[in-house]
Each structure stands twice: as structure tokens, then as C-alpha cells.
Amino acid sequence: MELYIDSANINEIREVAALGIISGVTTNPSLLAREDPKVNVRQRILEIHTLVGGHLSVEVISTDADGMLREADEILAWFPEATIKIPMIAEGLKAVSKLSEQGVDTNVTLIFSPAQALAANNAGATYVSVFVGRLDDISFDGMQVIRDVREIWDIQGLNSLILAASIRHPMHIVECAKAGADIATCPYKPIMQSLKHPLTDSGLASFLADHQKMQAEIKKSSLSTN
Ligand code: E4P
């Protein structure tokens, strides 16, 4: 399962990209606004694109297909390999099917059910973004939707990539991998939390302490022989 970072924060993206563990970035209007309500979106997106050369989803804000297609043209003029992120509404599907005919990558976002995922796949979506955490937040089993979508995809031989979104903690990442998501897009915090284990820290501390002890012994014995 590939990992993307779900962020519009340059420092977070730079730090995680340097680890070599992410292959893409997803953004949305809320993430951009959270960074700076007056952010120049084009500039920020191009900055992110320079940092992480792989997948970059940029979301449209129109709610009609013509407006979405106009925005897609604008974004593609910023950089032609952009993935256009489009909400899972009827007008969004119209735009997705047009863009798919043109060979443009699309990410259908705000998917909360297998039926929505199936519709997005059939419209030609490159990615279907299933929001796990937001389902958990309202006492639905978000991970079950990932499992159901995977099962349907395998039975039917469907090919939109299953992108698990709205990830809240490291166990979501593990469960998404077990459930067969192709990609999980995660905020900075769960990515960094997923690297940690207390036994790694205590193990490293004791390796370093033993090495220091050994160095001290070597120094002591070389002093006593001189
Ligand atoms: C996905 O692409 C979305 O940007 C994101 O995962 C939403 O997550 P949230 O529920 O934490 O806002």
C-alpha cells in the first residue's frame, strides 16, 4: 500500500518527503485555508509539486460540471500531471467522465459508501477516496467500506485505485493495508506516529550506552598499557 500525505503545509510535506516513504500528496480547500486563509493556491500547489514529484490531487470548488471542467483546465495549465479532485456529486461524475475521456487523472472525493465508489469507478475515476475517519466519527465502521469496496473490485475486476482518506491514527494505516486499500493518504501526525515504537527507542539507547562503555574500556586499557 502506498502512502500519500494529506496536507498543504510545506514544512510537514518537506519533512515527510525526505523520509522517502510517500509517493504523493492530497490537498483540499480546508487544508489550504488552514495553512493561511490568504494563501495563493497556485503558488502553494506548485511549491508542493516541486517538493514531491509524484501524485498531487488538487480539488475544484465549483459545484457544476462546466465550472469543474474550467477549473480543471486552469489547474492542468499549472502542471499537466495534476490529478483533479472532484466531489462525489452528480455534477462531479459528469466532469469526471469528460476528464477521463481526455485522459486526465481524477480523484473522486467525499465517498462514504460502496455504491458511491462504484458510480465513481464507472464514471472513469482514477482514484476513489473513501473517508474512513469521518465515518468512524459518526459511529459507522469506516474500514468496513474499504473492505467492501476491495471485495467488489476483486469480484468485478474494477480498476479505480482505492484511496483510503480521513486517516486519524497509525492503526487506521495498518487496517487500511489489511483491508486492501491501494493507497492511504494520511496527515503528518499519524505518519510520524507510525514510525515510533518504545522498544525501538529503548533498544537504541541501550546499544548506544553499550558502545560508549566499550569505548571507555578500550580507552582505559590503552592508557594502562602506555
Ligand atoms: C482526502 O483527500 C481528504 O483531504 C482528507 O483525507 C480529509 O480528511 P479529514 O476527515 O481529516 O478532513
Side-chain angles (χ1 to χ4, degrees), residues 28-91:
N28 67 38
S30 306
L31 289 170
L32 285 157
R34 190 185 302 161
E35 286 316 308
D36 172 5
K38 291 191 290 297
V39 73
N40 176 325
V41 174
R42 177 181 174 276
Q43 202 176 309
R44 175 56 57 99
I45 292 294
L46 288 177
E47 249 179 296
I48 296 172
H49 179 54
T50 310
L51 274 180
V52 182
H55 171 103
L56 176 50
S57 277
V58 187
E59 188 159 341
V60 298
I61 44 153
S62 302
T63 52
D64 63 298
D66 288 340
M68 290 175 189
L69 291 169
R70 266 195 305 276
E71 281 188 66
D73 281 345
E74 256 176 58
I75 295 165
L76 293 164
W78 303 346
F79 67 109
E81 47 305 12
T83 296
I84 310 300
K85 199 172 178 192
I86 294 188
M88 176 56 225
I89 55 177
E91 286 293 306

Side-chain angles (χ1 to χ4, degrees), residues 6 26-28 31 34 59 85 107 109 129 131 133-134 137 163-168 185 187:
D6 195 33
T26 52
T27 59
N28 67 38
L31 289 170
R34 190 185 302 161
E59 188 159 341
K85 199 172 178 192
N107 173 358
T109 188
S129 279
F131 278 45
R134 289 192 195 189
D137 290 345
L163 202 170
S166 189
I167 299 298
R168 303 267 194 261
T185 188

Side-chain angles (χ1 to χ4, degrees), residues 138-215:
I138 57 157
S139 303
F140 280 83
D141 185 353
M143 207 55 69
Q144 189 55 44
V145 180
I146 300 284
R147 287 188 210 100
D148 289 343
V149 172
R150 177 81 273 159
E151 187 183 345
I152 294 166
W153 261 224
D154 291 345
I155 292 169
Q156 301 284 342
L158 306 184
N159 48 23
S160 297
L161 293 164
I162 303 168
L163 202 170
S166 189
I167 299 298
R168 303 267 194 261
H169 50 73
M171 284 316 290
H172 266 162
I173 301 176
V174 174
E175 289 301 323
C176 283
K178 285 166 68 180
D182 295 299
I183 304 136
T185 188
C186 316
Y188 171 85
K189 192 173 165 203
I191 293 178
M192 298 310 282
Q193 285 172 325
S194 75
L195 309 182
K196 299 289 283 178
H197 196 289
L199 291 178
T200 306
D201 295 342
S202 60
L204 179 60
S206 86
F207 286 155
L208 295 180
D210 289 342
H211 177 76
Q212 293 293 344
K213 259 189 252 159
M214 190 180 71
Q215 292 302 108

